Amino acid sequence: MNDYFSVEMSADEIRGISSIGLAHLGDAVYELLVRTWLCVHGKATGKGLHRATIALVCAKAQCRLSEKILPLLTEEEQAVFRRGRNANVHTVPRNTSRGEYQQATALEALFGWLYLQGRHERINVLFSVMMDEEV
């Protein structure tokens, strides 16, 4: 049986996944981190918890928060981020600019890429920097 909580793939296998595929996975990783962060920080009420989650996982918030980590990315991480940003997305949610959505997709692709490599510690470092001062 596969352990999908601890999947590690080779670099070649990960390169075979499209940027949109990485972003799809990274979106779930990011949302799980946000939900965990909110519960740990005492935001565990039903409606308030859902609203707080939505506020942090929307493309605008991801774009804003991703700016905090850009200077910390390695060259390889920057390349993955650029690849995600340049992914060919066909639709953009309302109230979000194409640039914001591309930046959010880039962040999600990076988190998906790191997750598939089993680099959970690096994800935690980057996420912690992003959430610093966020309440």
Side-chain angles (χ1 to χ4, degrees), residues 8-41:
E8 288 189 39
M9 298 174 69
S10 72
D12 286 340
E13 290 172 319
I14 295 171
R15 269 192 295 278
I17 299 174
S18 71
S19 297
I20 298 298
L22 291 175
H24 176 72
L25 179 58
D27 176 57
V29 171
Y30 180 76
E31 184 161 345
L32 180 60
L33 290 166
V34 166
R35 288 172 179 241
T36 303
W37 185 86
L38 288 169
C39 287
V40 167
H41 287 84

Side-chain angles (χ1 to χ4, degrees), residues 73-91:
L73 299 182
T74 66
E75 286 184 30
E76 191 177 25
E77 290 167 346
Q78 288 173 15
V80 172
F81 193 90
R82 278 191 305 275
R83 179 179 163 207
R85 189 178 55 222
N86 294 332
N88 190 12
V89 293
H90 298 291
T91 58

Side-chain angles (χ1 to χ4, degrees), residues 99-132:
E100 289 169 331
Y101 193 67
Q102 288 172 314
Q103 186 95 347
T105 302
L107 175 67
E108 292 169 350
L110 175 63
F111 275 31
W113 180 78
L114 289 168
Y115 175 79
L116 289 175
Q117 288 186 328
R119 296 181 57 199
H120 303 159
E121 186 176 328
R122 181 63 174 160
I123 293 171
N124 277 315
V125 167
L126 295 174
F127 184 76
S128 294
V129 169
M130 290 171 62
M131 299 309 287
D132 188 37

